Amino acid sequence: MEGKSNPNGIKNIVLVHGAFADGSGYKGIYEHLTQQGYNVTIVQNPLTSLKDDVKATNAVLDAQDGPAILAGHSWGGAVITEAGNHPNVAGLVYIAAFQPDKNESALTWFQSAPPAPENGILPPDDKGIVYYDKAKYHGGFCADLSKEQAAFMYASQGAFYGECFVTPLSEAAWRNKPSFAVIATEDKSINPDIQRNMYQRSNTKATEIKGSHVVFMSQPQKVAAVIVDAAQTVSGN
């Protein structure tokens, strides 16, 4: 049974989504965390540039009434690495997410290992927007969800501008803030070995969970537990 969070500890959780998805995917985690007494806010980042996504995240962080755990999925990992320098951020959680260093981009790490055959990330179109191949979306992005869920997610994905992927970070918050991570062991979008390599480099406390790239949707209780551990650890509980 899920218990209540320590009222004297960190109670604010801010969640940042990645590319080819939107904030609605966090509903399961939202429910698990709010049931435990946490105040959860989900950033609807525009996916137009690193700067714009960080701005949207900072606006939410500005509105927090105290310290927060900032969690990001996939591309959202690059966003929280930059936005995590905000004074209200007490700790970071990477959910199958990119964790670049200063002067690195998400693409730096994406290219560090061969993509899985199931991966369906397409080249930018004539507007600079990157989409996920519809034929590969279910198998490559969210294989452990139903076909119906996958179809809805594909239909509601945000337009992700390729500029985001190639923009280097100006500061890496994980160098100064406690960091935690979930490695999705069945991930076909970000090779699990890339995740392991990033988190090992940064001495991030990583938890391996069997799941697809959207492990936060297929295993919300387990991912929520990692976020709770981060909040309690940073609070000293």
Side-chain angles (χ1 to χ4, degrees):
M1 192 172 92
E2 294 176 331
K4 295 292 182 183
S5 63
N6 186 326
N8 299 318
I10 292 172
K11 63 171 183 155
N12 297 317
I13 311 292
V14 175
L15 305 174
V16 180
H17 66 82
F20 320 118
D22 71 358
S24 65
Y26 277 124
K27 185 179 179 182
I29 284 184
Y30 169 87
E31 290 171 346
H32 284 294
L33 292 174
T34 54
Q35 286 167 13
Q36 296 179 72
Y38 288 95
N39 171 46
V40 182
T41 310
I42 298 164
V43 180
Q44 291 286 11
N45 42 314
L47 305 176
T48 44
S49 69
L50 175 63
K51 181 180 179 180
D52 290 346
D53 286 5
V54 170
K55 183 179 179 180
T57 304
N58 280 337
V60 171
L61 292 168
D62 286 342
Q64 301 303 300
D65 61 1
I69 296 296
L70 180 61
H73 169 248
S74 190
W75 156 250
V79 178
I80 71 168
T81 299
E82 188 86 27
N85 296 293
H86 191 288
N88 279 345
V89 176
L92 304 163
V93 179
Y94 292 84
I95 306 167
F98 290 109
Q99 191 189 53
D101 200 353
K102 181 179 180 179
N103 297 324
E104 293 178 350
S105 68
L107 187 65
T108 304
W109 280 98
F110 182 73
Q111 293 180 331
S112 67
E118 296 90 342
N119 189 294
I121 298 175
L122 298 171
D125 66 10
D126 57 358
K127 297 183 180 66
I129 299 172
V130 176
Y131 290 103
Y132 210 100
D133 185 348
K134 187 174 184 178
K136 291 188 171 185
Y137 190 88
H138 189 200
F141 197 72
C142 52
D144 49 2
L145 300 183
S146 69
K147 288 183 178 179
E148 291 76 15
Q149 279 180 293
F152 174 78
M153 288 174 65
Y154 180 85
S156 59
Q157 66 176 295
F160 179 61
Y161 283 77
E163 175 190 338
C164 297
F165 227 37
V166 301
T167 303
L169 275 69
S170 62
E171 204 63 51
W174 54 261
R175 289 196 166 274
N176 305 302
K177 307 279 176 90
S179 298
F180 304 79
V182 169
I183 296 168
T185 63
E186 311 302 306
D187 200 325
K188 304 301 182 185
S189 288
I190 301 178
N191 186 315
D193 285 336
I194 294 177
Q195 298 174 41
R196 294 183 184 104
N197 292 339
M198 289 185 296
Y199 306 148
Q200 184 175 12
R201 172 181 73 165
S202 60
N203 292 317
T204 293
K205 181 183 177 182
T207 301
E208 298 208 1
I209 298 175
K210 186 176 181 179
S212 72
H213 188 54
V214 296
V215 63
F216 67 101
M217 294 181 68
S218 61
Q219 302 280 358
Q221 187 167 5
K222 291 181 179 179
V223 175
V226 172
I227 297 173
V228 170
D229 177 58
Q232 292 179 342
T233 300
V234 172
S235 299
N237 298 333

